[in-house]
C-alpha cells in the first residue's frame, strides 16, 4: 500500500481540517454502489475478474507477439492508451533485448507524428493492438485504417492474424468489423470507463508485450483493492481525498503532481486524465498539472515558489531506488563537487527532495507526499489502485459524478461538422 504523508499540508488546511466523515460517506457510497454513475464502478472488481477470465489469453497473445514481431503498434487515445504507456515508461524505460518496441499512435491527429512513427517502424515484422471502447473515436480509427493497410500490404491474406482489437463486448463499429474479419478481440467491460481501464486488457496486453509481469500486477492489485476497501482514517485513499478537498476549500485550486523519476512522466499524464475528467465538471474541480523534478525546478520552480498561491503539490516518492551510483572523488576537485564524493546519487536526490519540500512549504505551497516502495510491478499496482480509489472518493466528496465525461462531446460536434462528416450538424 502507498503511504500518504500530510505533515507538509496540515498548516494549510481549512480550520476544520480534512473531512474524514465525508470521506467515509463517499467511500461507503462507492463501495455499496449507491452513488452517481454507479454503473461504472466495475474497475473495483477488475483485477479479480480479469484473473478469472481473459488473463491467460492476454499472456498467450503477448507470447505470440513477442515471439514473431519486433514491434507492437498500440492505437488508442485517452484512457485507451495512457495507462499502458505510463506503465511501460515507468517499468521498462529501456526495452530488454527480446522486447518488441511498443509504438503509441492514434492519440492525436498530427501528420508529423504519424509519419515519424511510420518511419521508426520501418519494415520490421509487427502486430497492431487497436483499442477503443466505443469503437468510433476519430483519432484511433483514422490511424487504424492506415496501419491496417500497411499490414495488408505486408502480410496479404494473413494480415488479420496480426490485428488484436480491444473494444466493447457487443457494440460499435470496431467490434462488428473485428467479428467479420475474425480478429482476436479483448473486452473493455461495460461497467468500466476508459480512464479506469488500465487493469483490463486495455493496459495489460501492451504491458505484457513490453515484458511487464502482468500476473504480478494483477495479484498485487487484488490485495491493494482489498486493503483500500477498509473504512478507516488510516486508509490512504481517504487521507489523500480528504486532504485535497480541504485544501480546495481554502482556494488551492491547482494540484501539481511531481516525481523525481523521469520515467514517471506518463504516469502523471494518466493521473491528469483520471482526475481531470473525473472531477472537472459542474464548474468545479481541482486542475491537475504535473512536473518532473528536479528538471522542472529550473523551469517551473520560480512559479511554484513565488507565483499565485493557489497551488498544492503532491509528490510521488519511491523509497527504494532501483539502482545505485556512487558519486566519484576527483583528485583536482576543479568543479568543487568533492563534498558529494562517496555518496549514492539516490541519496543526493533524496536530500534534494527534502530541501525542495521545505522551500515550497515555506513559500506557501501545501505538500502531500505519496510514498511507494519500489518502481516495480507491485509499486505500479499500488499507485493505480490508490489513485483510482482516491479519485472516486474525492469526486463524491465534491458532489460530482466521477465516472462520466459529458464535456468531451462539445469539440467533437464542431470537428465533425467542420470536417464534413455525413449527418453531423
Ligand atoms: O476515459 C475515457 O472514457 C476517455 O478518455 C476515453 O478513453 C477516450 O475518449 C477514448 O475513447 P474510446 O476508447 O471509446 O476510443
Amino acid at each position: 500500500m502507498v503511504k500518504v504523508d500530510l505533515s507538509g499540508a496540515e498548516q494549510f488546511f481549512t480550520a476544520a481540517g480534512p473531512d474524514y466523515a465525508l470521506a467515509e460517506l463517499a467511500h461507503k457510497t462507492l463501495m455499496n454502489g449507491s452513488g452517481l454513475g454507479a454503473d461504472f464502478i466495475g474497475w473495483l472488481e477488475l483485477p479479480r475478474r480479469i484473473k478469472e477470465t481473459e488473463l491467460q489469453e492476454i499472456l498467450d497473445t503477448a507470447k505470440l507477439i513477442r515471439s514473431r514481431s519486433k514491434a507492437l503498434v498500440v492505437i488508442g487515445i485517452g484512457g485507451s492508451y495512457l495507462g499502458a504507456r505510463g506503465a511501460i515508461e515507468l517499468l521498462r524505460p529501456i526495452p530488454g533485448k527480446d522486447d518488441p518496441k511498443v509504438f503509441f499512435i492514434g492519440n492525436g491527429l498530427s501528420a508529423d507524428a504519424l509519419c515519424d512513427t511510420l518511419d521508426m517502424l520501418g519494415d520490421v515484422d509487427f502486430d497492431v493492438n487497436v483499442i477503443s471502447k466505443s469503437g468510433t473515436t476519430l483519432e484511433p480509427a483514422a490511424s487504424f485504417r492506415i496501419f491496417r493497410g500497411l499490414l495488408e500490404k505486408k502480410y496479404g491474406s494473413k494480415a488479420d492474424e496480426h490485428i488484436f482489437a480491444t473494444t466493447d463486448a457487443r457494440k460499435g463499429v470496431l467490434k462488428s468489423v473485428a467479428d467479420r474479419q475474425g480478429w482476436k478481440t479483448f473486452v473493455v467491460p461495460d461497467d468500466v470507463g476508459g480512464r479506469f481501464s488500465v487493469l483490463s486488457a486495455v493496459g495489460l496486453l501492451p504491458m505484457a508485450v513490453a515484458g511487464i509481469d502482468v500476473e504480478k500486477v494483477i495479484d498485487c492489485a487484488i490485495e491493494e483493492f482489498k486493503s483500500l476497501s477498509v473504512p478507516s482514517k488510516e486508509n490512504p485513499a481517504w487521507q489523500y481525498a480528504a486532504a485535497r478537498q480541504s485544501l480546495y476549500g481554502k482556494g488551492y485550486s491547482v494540484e501539481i503532481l511531481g516525481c523525481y523519476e523521469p520515467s514517471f512522466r506518463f504516469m502523471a499524464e494518466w493521473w491528469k486524465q483520471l482526475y481531470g475528467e473525473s472531477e472537472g465538471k459542474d464548474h468545479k474541480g481541482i486542475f491537475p498539472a504535473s512536473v518532473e523534478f528536479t528538471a522542472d525546478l529550473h523551469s517551473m520552480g520560480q512559479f511554484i515558489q513565488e507565483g499565485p498561491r493557489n497551488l498544492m503539490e503532491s509528490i510521488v516518492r519511491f523509497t527504494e531506488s532501483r539502482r545505485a551510483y556512487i558519486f566519484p572523488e576527483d583528485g583536482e576537485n576543479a568543479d568543487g563537487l568533492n563534498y558529494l564524493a562517496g555518496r549514492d546519487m539516490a541519496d543526493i536526490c533524496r536530500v534534494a527532495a527534502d530541501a525542495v519540500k521545505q522551500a515550497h512549504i515555506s513559500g506557501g505551497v501545501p505538500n502531500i507526499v505519496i510514498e511507494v516502495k519500489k518502481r516495480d510491478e507491485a509499486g505500479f499496482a499500488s499507485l493505480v489502485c490508490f489513485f483510482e480509489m482516491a479519485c472516486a472518493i474525492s469526486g463524491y466528496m465534491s458532489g460530482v459524478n466521477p465516472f462520466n465525461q459529458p464535456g468531451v462531446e462539445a469539440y467533437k460536434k464542431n470537428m465533425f461538422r467542420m470536417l464534413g462528416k455525413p449527418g453531423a450538424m
Side-chain angles (χ1 to χ4, degrees):
M1 262 228 282
V2 309
K3 266 211 327 243
V4 172
D5 175 3
L6 299 178
S7 59
E10 275 155 7
Q11 60 182 285
F12 303 97
F13 287 149
T14 41
D19 191 344
Y20 284 110
L22 191 58
E24 178 172 20
L25 182 65
H27 190 217
K28 195 168 162 194
T29 306
L30 173 73
M31 301 307 288
N32 67 20
S34 61
L36 292 167
D39 39 351
F40 281 97
I41 58 169
W43 49 273
L44 285 163
E45 291 289 306
L46 206 44
R48 201 184 45 72
R49 273 204 237 149
I50 197 98
K51 200 169 169 161
E52 288 161 9
T53 54
E54 278 183 336
L55 188 57
Q56 194 51 52
E57 275 181 73
I58 291 171
L59 293 170
D60 294 344
T61 303
K63 198 168 164 197
L64 172 71
I65 295 173
R66 285 175 66 85
S67 67
R68 73 178 178 193
S69 286
K70 290 269 173 251
L72 173 69
V73 178
V74 177
I75 301 176
I77 194 165
S80 290
Y81 98 103
L82 285 167
R85 185 157 182 183
I88 293 169
E89 294 200 2
L90 183 74
L91 303 178
R92 307 283 291 178
I94 304 174
K97 73 173 174 29
D98 297 327
D99 295 341
K101 277 197 180 141
V102 180
F103 294 103
F104 291 95
I105 194 72
N107 47 61
L109 290 168
S110 158
D112 289 2
L114 172 68
C115 294
D116 289 349
T117 305
L118 288 167
D119 287 351
M120 284 188 290
L121 181 64
D123 64 358
V124 299
D125 281 309
F126 73 102
D127 286 277
V128 165
N129 181 199
V130 55
I131 308 172
S132 177
K133 182 174 183 188
S134 62
T136 54
T137 310
L138 176 66
E139 291 91 336
S143 285
F144 181 50
R145 177 186 280 206
I146 293 161
F147 282 88
R148 185 182 166 192
L150 217 62
L151 284 174
E152 282 164 358
K153 235 199 229 152
K154 195 173 175 71
Y155 297 111
S157 61
K158 294 239 178 261
D160 288 331
E161 293 170 24
H162 287 261
I163 298 174
F164 301 90
T166 307
T167 188
D168 191 274
R170 284 169 295 276
K171 28 180 217 300
V173 184
L174 184 56
K175 174 65 181 159
S176 54
V177 182
D179 287 347
R180 197 183 65 212
Q181 296 295 124
W183 300 333
K184 172 133 194 69
T185 56
F186 293 93
V187 174
V188 192
D190 286 346
D191 56 357
V192 178
R195 59 188 175 277
F196 287 86
S197 68
V198 60
L199 298 177
S200 73
V202 170
L204 297 176
L205 179 58
M207 284 159 64
V209 172
I212 292 171
D213 183 347
V214 297
E215 282 180 286
K216 193 157 188 198
V217 169
I218 288 302
D219 285 341
C220 294
I222 291 172
E223 291 310 312
E224 285 297 325
F225 274 135
K226 244 191 239 158
S227 314
L228 289 164
S229 68
V230 175
S232 161
K233 269 191 179 178
E234 303 307 312
N235 186 323
W238 284 28
Q239 293 170 344
Y240 179 54
R244 52 201 296 288
Q245 287 301 329
S246 170
L247 294 169
Y248 182 54
K250 274 281 283 288
Y252 297 100
S253 57
V254 177
E255 179 179 9
I256 43 180
L257 186 78
C259 185
Y260 287 78
E261 292 298 338
S263 60
F264 190 78
R265 189 166 67 105
F266 259 86
M267 284 300 290
E269 295 300 320
W270 169 83
W271 172 86
K272 282 196 277 194
Q273 187 205 1
L274 184 65
Y275 280 74
E277 235 172 43
S278 300
E279 290 193 315
K281 50 196 69 159
D282 305 342
H283 295 172
K284 51 189 173 186
I286 299 168
F287 184 84
S290 64
V291 282
E292 180 192 315
F293 287 161
T294 63
D296 287 342
L297 293 169
H298 301 262
S299 58
M300 298 304 290
Q302 170 60 37
F303 195 103
I304 298 169
Q305 193 69 44
E306 295 183 346
R309 298 302 70 190
N310 63 344
L311 302 180
M312 61 175 108
E313 181 174 69
S314 298
I315 301 295
V316 173
R317 228 178 196 192
F318 294 95
T319 53
E320 282 177 29
S321 81
R322 275 190 184 181
R323 305 176 73 171
Y325 194 100
I326 303 301
F327 195 75
E329 174 94 33
D330 182 280
E332 268 186 37
N333 196 26
D335 54 13
L337 292 178
N338 268 357
Y339 70 99
L340 298 175
R343 294 166 80 168
D344 183 353
M345 284 295 287
D347 289 328
I348 296 172
C349 187
R350 250 171 246 134
V351 175
D354 289 340
V356 173
K357 179 177 171 181
Q358 275 177 26
H360 288 180
I361 292 170
S362 53
V365 179
N367 179 286
I368 297 173
V369 176
I370 296 157
E371 243 179 47
V372 58
K373 202 164 160 206
K374 255 191 169 161
R375 202 158 58 83
D376 59 8
E377 277 79 354
F380 169 77
S382 300
L383 284 170
V384 165
C385 299
F386 161 75
F387 277 130
E388 288 183 348
M389 182 68 91
C391 179
I393 294 175
S394 182
Y396 278 161
M397 286 180 80
S398 73
V400 300
N401 175 353
F403 306 116
N404 65 2
Q405 54 284 328
V408 300
E409 293 311 312
Y411 93 92
K412 289 187 193 168
K413 267 194 202 151
N414 288 348
M415 178 179 72
F416 288 134
R417 190 188 66 248
M418 289 159 80
L419 286 172
K421 182 179 178 181
M425 296 193 287

